[in-house]
Amino acid sequence: SVAASPSTFEAAYPGHSAAGLIDMFLFTNVASCFLVTDIVRTQGLQKAIQGASVLMTAGCLLRSGLPSFNLDFLTNIMGSTAPAVTDAVSSAPSLVPFSFMAAGTILVGAAQPFFQCTPPMLSATWFASDERATSTAVALNFNQIGIATAFLVGGSMGTNVDGLATYFQLITVFCALVTAGTLLQFENKPPIPPSSSELEKLIKGEEEPPFIESVKKFFNTPGFTLPLAAFIMSISITNIVGTFIDEVMERGGITDQFSIDLAGAGFEFGILLGGIVIGGYVDKTKQYKPVTMACILATIFLLFPLGLTDHALGKEPVLLVLALLGLGMSAGPIQPINAELAVDVTYPSDETAVESVQQIGGNLFSALLVPLAEIATRQDYEVFATRKYLDSDIRGDVILLAAIASVTFAYFSGFDAPLRRTAADNEGSGGGDDGVIDVKLASSIEMINGGDSETELEESTVSRKGSGVLNIFK
């Protein structure tokens, strides 16, 4: 939420950088990812998501100071361990002290993995096999809409200290509204599984092991580390570009803050749009490997305009913006596609555990990469110096990110693991797109309904027709 107005934040809190606050968020995010799987396993998806929503609202309250009496109350409780509210930064009287800003950021960082690590489980629980990649893309990448909103709204409001304070209060109000909707409407699972693979897991009574056991199993499963590497590469590139968007735009000749905010929002929207479009294609074809490799190649190609200046042409703002939008649409989809691929190769695994491992790797790597990228942005390298029309400057951060993507491409090219969940879906549906799953549910219907079925079924046919809708015919 401070990426769109780093200068205002840093002026309000001398000695503290926006990048440092983002790093604090990322490290907290990583720590929380270790807990998500076991909490969801023991408490269920519904309670976990609702509890995380309340936690995030509490973090937003701390950051915004709404209602204002809460700050005095919390300071009294914390006593000498926290500075008094009156010690707030003198240049920012309408903002909370940095200690409360940091505490709120930690709570928000602890809550977010519950929304980031559960999309594959949400998709498997609620959506059919030809809808899961799209569903995961929407749920996983809709986070980018929040970031895009931060650029558009936060960028315009955060031009001064009072505006930044009002922006944090606005976030709190909207977060509280969404939390209220989550508490009232979020459900744990549908009455009938939406796919053959989910139905098979229920019939077999698959129980999710503790997170640590799942992690050991994943790394012993052929093919798991390749989608993990692709996911880490994608999330680190999108995180770094989003964090240093001001620097990226200014080096290309775009200095107007509103234009920078529009470009940043376009980048985030591109991530979501690319995930939906490309994820939809993967849903129909299951071509995980060729699509991922094509996206990585496009990512490498589109990174260079973000940091390359040809001396003969000068700065090209239009090319820069087009490359940024294209980068979002190519790098962003790699995350949901490879989240689904990792679940596919480790089936019948705990989907939340799979995504937790990916989020831990991605956010930890991003957090470690932020200071390196910050140093690299100040490095400028001249290439083709002896060629008049090719003589160019390229920034170190672009070289760093392109190198990461290139290594990932070479590594991922070796993927050759069986798609276990896809095979289970095809087997259960007879190999057809709208096939029929014939199962004897007399002995398993109690398992499907939570062990409390009053209806005895001798033999049932479960048929999926349309978009994730299941009908049971006796």
Side-chain angles (χ1 to χ4, degrees):
S1 57
V2 297
S5 51
S7 58
T8 304
F9 177 85
E10 289 162 8
Y13 296 104
H16 300 285
S17 68
L21 194 71
I22 292 171
D23 245 2
M24 183 186 300
F25 167 83
L26 290 174
F27 278 118
T28 306
N29 186 294
V30 169
S32 182
C33 284
F34 284 95
L35 306 176
V36 172
T37 300
D38 290 334
I39 291 175
V40 171
R41 177 174 59 86
T42 57
Q43 301 301 316
L45 184 62
Q46 181 179 13
K47 290 182 180 179
I49 294 297
Q50 290 174 338
S53 299
V54 172
L55 185 64
M56 179 165 285
T57 302
C60 290
L61 280 168
L62 275 175
R63 286 156 58 97
S64 69
L66 277 177
S68 59
F69 66 81
N70 273 357
L71 294 178
D72 296 315
F73 174 71
L74 287 173
T75 302
N76 289 335
I77 289 179
M78 296 172 72
S80 60
T81 62
V85 176
T86 54
D87 290 337
V89 183
S90 58
S91 63
S94 57
L95 286 172
V96 299
F98 183 77
S99 56
F100 286 100
M101 180 66 67
T105 298
I106 289 172
L107 291 184
V108 172
Q112 192 172 36
F114 288 87
F115 315 120
Q116 291 179 319
C117 297
T118 52
M121 179 182 185
L122 185 73
S123 298
T125 303
W126 285 92
F127 291 89
S129 60
D130 61 354
E131 300 169 326
R132 288 189 295 238
T134 304
S135 168
T136 299
V138 171
L140 192 61
N141 285 344
F142 217 83
N143 174 59
Q144 312 306 323
I145 298 301
I147 301 175
T149 303
F151 279 113
L152 292 176
V153 180
S156 59
M157 294 180 67
T159 55
N160 56 60
V161 169
D162 289 338
L164 187 61
T166 303
Y167 170 56
F168 283 128
Q169 292 171 355
L170 184 64
I171 290 177
T172 302
V173 171
F174 278 101
C175 185
L177 291 174
V178 173
T179 296
T182 303
L183 294 175
L184 292 172
Q185 296 179 321
F186 195 91
E187 297 181 21
N188 199 46
K189 60 183 178 180
I192 299 297
S195 64
S196 305
S197 53
E198 281 301 295
L199 184 60
E200 182 179 329
K201 286 177 68 175
L202 284 176
I203 292 174
K204 291 182 176 179
E206 296 284 352
E207 294 186 1
E208 313 299 0
F211 178 62
I212 298 301
E213 291 184 20
S214 292
V215 172
K216 294 177 181 178
K217 178 182 176 182
F218 295 157
F219 281 96
N220 287 325
T221 301
F224 172 75
T225 57
L226 290 93
L228 173 62
F231 185 97
I232 290 174
M233 178 223 68
S234 172
I235 196 172
S236 61
I237 289 176
T238 54
N239 281 343
I240 294 300
V241 172
T243 299
F244 298 104
I245 192 71
D246 281 32
E247 169 71 24
V248 171
M249 292 294 101
E250 288 171 4
R251 73 176 60 153
I254 300 175
T255 56
D256 176 67
Q257 188 59 51
F258 182 67
S259 298
I260 293 174
D261 295 337
L262 280 178
F267 173 64
E268 303 299 340
F269 277 114
I271 292 174
L272 176 62
L273 180 61
I276 293 173
V277 173
I278 299 177
Y281 173 77
V282 173
D283 268 331
K284 304 299 181 184
T285 64
K286 305 302 180 186
Q287 296 294 308
Y288 295 103
K289 180 178 179 179
V291 169
T292 297
M293 295 186 69
C295 285
I296 297 176
L297 274 179
T299 296
I300 297 171
F301 176 76
L302 291 166
L303 273 170
F304 284 101
L306 304 188
L308 181 67
T309 301
D310 188 294
H311 293 173
L313 295 176
K315 296 179 179 180
E316 293 290 335
V318 175
L319 176 62
L320 175 64
V321 171
L322 290 176
L324 183 68
L325 298 178
L327 179 64
M329 294 190 68
S330 58
I334 295 173
Q335 295 171 48
I337 289 171
N338 282 274
E340 288 297 306
L341 176 57
V343 170
D344 210 323
V345 299
T346 58
Y347 175 86
S349 60
D350 183 340
E351 298 90 353
T352 303
V354 170
E355 185 59 19
S356 294
V357 173
Q358 292 189 328
Q359 290 289 342
I360 289 169
N363 286 314
L364 181 58
F365 189 72
S366 295
L368 296 173
L369 198 59
V370 165
L372 294 177
E374 192 169 17
I375 295 172
T377 59
R378 297 191 290 269
Q379 308 301 315
D380 204 9
Y381 301 95
E382 187 174 7
V383 293
F384 303 113
T386 60
R387 303 296 182 94
K388 180 179 179 181
Y389 294 104
L390 295 178
D391 187 17
S392 306
D393 288 333
I394 186 168
R395 294 296 180 95
D397 56 333
V398 168
I399 296 176
L400 176 64
L401 296 180
I404 293 171
S406 299
V407 171
T408 303
F409 178 85
Y411 180 59
F412 190 85
S413 64
F415 179 83
D416 187 25
L419 304 180
R420 303 177 192 277
R421 185 171 65 172
T422 297
D425 284 325
N426 290 338
E427 182 180 353
S429 64
D433 290 336
D434 290 313
V436 175
I437 310 165
D438 293 314
V439 293
K440 289 187 177 181
L441 292 178
S443 61
S444 60
I445 193 66
E446 289 187 3
M447 185 186 309
I448 295 175
N449 288 336
D452 188 26
S453 174
E454 297 179 357
T455 304
E456 183 177 352
L457 300 179
E458 294 178 356
E459 183 171 346
S460 300
T461 300
V462 180
S463 176
R464 178 182 60 78
K465 295 183 178 180
S467 300
V469 178
L470 287 164
N471 301 303
I472 297 184
F473 305 98
K474 185 172 179 179

